[in-house]
Amino acid sequence: MKKNIVGLIIAANKTELGGEKALELQTNLASALERNQIEYILADKIVWDAADALHVTNTLNTKGVNLIALIHACWLRDDVQYLIYHNSNCPVALLSVPAIETFSMASVQHFASELSRSNLFFRTICSPLDSDETASSLRSILQGISAAQTIKKSVVGLIGPRQTWRTAGAQDLTNDEWDLTQKFGALIVHIENSEWCEAINAQSDDAAHQVLSSLKNDKHLNIAVTDQHLLYSCKSYLAIKALIKKYNLTCAAAQCYPEFGGMSNLAACLLADEGFVLDTEGDVSHALIMSALNTIDKKASVLCEWGTVDETANTVYLTHEGSSALSRMPSDNQAYIQECGDGVMIGFPLEGTEEVTVVDFSGQSGNYHMVSFPASLTICPKAVFEENCRRLTVAIKTDLSPTQLYNRLISNGSDHHFILKSGNLTNEIAVMNDLLHIESRTL
C-alpha cells in the first residue's frame, strides 16, 4: 500500500512579524510528526514570495506527497497562498500560529473564506504545531484522503445477472452505474451468475476439502450443516477468489436475495479476514465504502441493518443474515453455520465495549449523501441472539433514544444498509466526503 506522506511548507512575509521564527516552527511540527510516526518531507526553502511558492510546490509534486501542510508563520500575501494551493498536486491543510503579533490566524481565516466561496477542499488546524493534537489532525486528513483515493481507483465486481430493464435506450448498463463511474471514477465489472456457477463447478474437491477441514477444526465454529452442503460454499469461496484474480478486483458485490440466498456468505466471511470486501447483496456503493474505510482501520467492516429496539435498555439491535469476518467474533463465543438456500449463513453476536462509527451511503444522479454517527458496542443478550435465529446480532447505544435515532435516520434519508466500523471516524469520513463531493449528514 502506498505510504501517506505530508509535505511541510512554511511561508512568511518580510513585512510582518513571525518569519524570523520560521525554521523553529517547521522543526516543531516535524518533531510532532516524528513522535506520531507520520512520514513527511520538508520543503527545501522558506516561501517568501511567488517564485518560492512555485519552486517548493513543483519540487514536492515530484515526491509523491499526499497532503500539503502549509504553516502560516504570519500574515501571508494571498498570491503566495493561491499559488501553493493551486500548484500542489494534492489537498492542502492550512496551519496557523496562535501568536497575536503575527496575524497568522487571520491570514488562514481569510484564505479559508476564499476557498469556501469557490467550494474547494481545505482543512484548517490551529492547535500548537508541536502538539500530538496537530499530528492527529493531519493523520485524520491523510486517512480521509486515502479512503477517497481508494474509491476513485476501485474496480468493483458486480456478480449477478446483467440488468435488461430500461426506460429508454438499448443499453445493458444501468444509468446508476454510468453515474457512479462519472461521479467517483470507480469501474464496475459485470460477472454473470453463470460465470460464477461455472467457476464453482471448476473447483477441485481436494481444494474445497482443505477449506472445509480448516472450518471443521475451528473450535469456535458450531457447524449445523452437512459436509456436502458446506463443501459447495467452500467451492463458492474458491470460485470468487479466482474471479477476483481474473478481473483484478479491489472489491465486489454479489447477488444473493432471493434466488441465490447464502451462496456468497461464507466467501464474504473468509475474504473479509483476508482484507477483501465482498458485499453479499449486490450493493456496489456499500462495497466501495467498506473498502475505503478499511484503509483507515484494518479491522473488518460489518454489514448490518436495523433489527429492533429495547427502549428500556436504550439499545438498538442491528442484524444481518451472516456474512461478517470471523475475526469479529468474541473469543469466548461461537459462530453458528446454518443452511441458507444453497449456501450457508454464519451468525454470532458482535460484542465489546469499543466505540464504533455507523455509516449509510445513498443517492443517485450525481447527488449522494452519507449519514454517519458514533455509537458504542454493548453486550448482546443471549436471548436476543437466539430470538434472531442465531444470525449476526449487534447491540449498540447512542446519545439518542432508539426511537429518536430511527426517526432521525429516516428524516435524513438513510437507507437500510449500515456499515459498522471500529473507532470514531467522523473526521476521516468528512474529509473523504468533501473530496468526493458527497453530502455529509450527521445526527
Side-chain angles (χ1 to χ4, degrees):
M1 183 179 293
K2 183 181 176 182
K3 290 182 179 179
N4 288 328
I5 305 173
V6 180
L8 298 190
I9 297 176
I10 185 154
N13 186 337
K14 291 183 179 179
T15 63
E16 300 286 349
L17 295 174
E20 70 281 1
K21 295 182 179 179
L23 291 178
E24 177 187 342
L25 295 172
Q26 188 180 62
T27 300
N28 288 345
L29 180 55
S31 297
L33 295 182
E34 288 174 8
R35 193 168 61 247
N36 286 273
Q37 299 182 321
I38 298 174
E39 192 167 341
Y40 66 90
I41 297 175
L42 295 175
D44 59 4
K45 65 190 304 184
I46 298 169
V47 174
W48 294 99
D49 54 28
D52 293 337
L54 290 170
H55 170 79
V56 298
T57 48
N58 285 334
T59 302
L60 288 173
N61 284 341
T62 67
K63 305 293 186 181
V65 299
N66 309 94
L67 172 68
I68 294 295
L70 172 56
I71 304 170
H72 290 60
C74 56
W75 177 271
L76 302 183
R77 287 169 37 183
D78 56 9
D79 65 327
V80 166
Q81 295 167 310
Y82 162 86
L83 288 170
I84 290 173
Y85 185 91
H86 286 286
N87 200 45
S88 295
N89 288 344
C90 61
V92 176
L94 311 174
L95 283 68
S96 60
V97 179
I100 192 169
E101 72 278 9
T102 66
F103 296 95
S104 170
M105 296 183 76
S107 186
V108 165
Q109 182 182 9
H110 163 66
F111 193 58
S113 72
E114 295 289 345
L115 296 175
S116 294
R117 281 195 286 274
S118 300
N119 197 28
L120 295 172
F121 176 86
F122 68 93
R123 284 295 185 271
T124 62
I125 300 173
C126 60
S127 48
L129 295 179
D130 60 355
S131 69
D132 291 339
E133 181 182 355
T134 294
S136 177
S137 296
L138 288 170
R139 188 192 304 279
S140 291
I141 299 169
L142 282 169
Q143 291 174 328
I145 292 168
S146 179
Q149 289 298 324
T150 296
I151 290 177
K152 289 179 179 180
K153 297 175 181 178
S154 288
V155 180
V156 192
L158 179 54
I159 304 172
R162 201 173 177 98
Q163 307 301 340
T164 57
W165 59 82
R166 58 184 69 88
T167 303
Q171 63 175 28
D172 293 318
L173 280 169
T174 66
N175 288 330
D176 282 348
E177 290 162 320
W178 278 101
D179 184 53
L180 196 73
T181 297
Q182 288 175 309
K183 177 73 175 179
F184 303 120
L187 300 176
I188 298 173
V189 177
H190 274 278
I191 302 169
E192 290 286 350
N193 273 343
S194 57
E195 183 177 357
W196 182 15
C197 291
E198 288 169 5
I200 291 172
N201 293 332
Q203 303 307 310
S204 71
D205 287 343
D206 286 346
H209 273 292
Q210 287 183 21
V211 179
L212 177 64
S213 214
S214 175
L215 294 171
K216 293 180 72 174
N217 289 333
D218 189 334
K219 64 181 181 180
H220 294 296
L221 296 181
N222 188 315
I223 300 174
V225 298
T226 65
D227 284 4
Q228 194 60 34
H229 192 94
L230 187 52
L231 193 68
Y232 186 76
S233 285
C234 294
K235 288 189 174 183
S236 179
Y237 158 68
L238 294 171
I240 290 176
K241 288 196 73 168
L243 294 173
I244 292 168
K245 182 177 180 180
K246 176 180 178 179
Y247 293 105
N248 196 26
L249 304 177
T250 53
C251 58
Q255 177 190 357
C256 69
Y257 184 84
E259 290 91 351
F260 298 90
M263 278 181 61
S264 58
N265 283 340
L266 179 66
C269 284
L270 300 179
L271 287 168
D273 280 327
E274 297 172 19
F276 186 90
V277 171
L278 172 65
D279 175 272
T280 57
E281 294 206 29
D283 190 338
V284 169
S285 62
H286 280 79
L288 277 172
I289 298 301
M290 282 194 284
S291 182
L293 295 182
N294 281 353
T295 67
I296 300 173
D297 181 85
K298 297 304 179 186
K299 191 179 287 187
S301 304
V302 175
L303 179 68
C304 49
E305 55 194 66
W306 198 275
T308 189
V309 303
D310 183 341
E311 288 286 352
T312 303
N314 195 37
T315 300
V316 173
Y317 293 105
L318 304 175
T319 184
H320 209 251
E321 192 171 72
S323 57
S324 295
L326 293 175
S327 62
R328 300 306 304 261
M329 176 177 56
S331 59
D332 60 346
N333 217 314
Q334 284 193 314
Y336 294 82
I337 299 182
Q338 306 171 78
E339 280 195 24
C340 180
D342 291 331
V344 297
M345 61 181 180
I346 301 91
F348 53 86
L350 187 70
E351 294 181 357
T353 55
E354 64 177 318
E355 187 173 23
V356 295
T357 304
V358 185
V359 179
D360 167 68
F361 179 62
S362 306
Q364 61 184 16
S365 304
N367 296 312
Y368 294 89
H369 65 263
M370 186 175 293
V371 178
S372 63
F373 59 93
S376 297
L377 283 179
T378 187
I379 300 299
C380 177
K382 184 176 180 181
V384 176
F385 178 61
E386 294 292 338
E387 183 182 348
N388 195 29
C389 304
R390 295 180 173 177
R391 297 185 183 95
L392 173 74
T393 311
V394 183
I396 62 168
K397 293 177 182 287
T398 72
D399 292 336
L400 301 172
S401 75
T403 301
Q404 285 176 321
L405 176 62
Y406 185 64
N407 289 334
R408 290 198 191 179
L409 287 168
I410 290 174
S411 66
N412 275 281
S414 174
D415 210 328
H416 73 293
H417 275 173
F418 298 115
I419 300 165
L420 189 145
K421 192 70 184 169
S422 296
N424 187 337
L425 305 183
T426 303
N427 293 332
E428 293 84 351
I429 288 171
V431 169
M432 177 184 74
N433 288 348
D434 285 355
L435 287 167
L436 297 174
H437 303 290
I438 299 169
E439 180 189 353
S440 291
R441 299 182 184 178
T442 59
L443 305 181

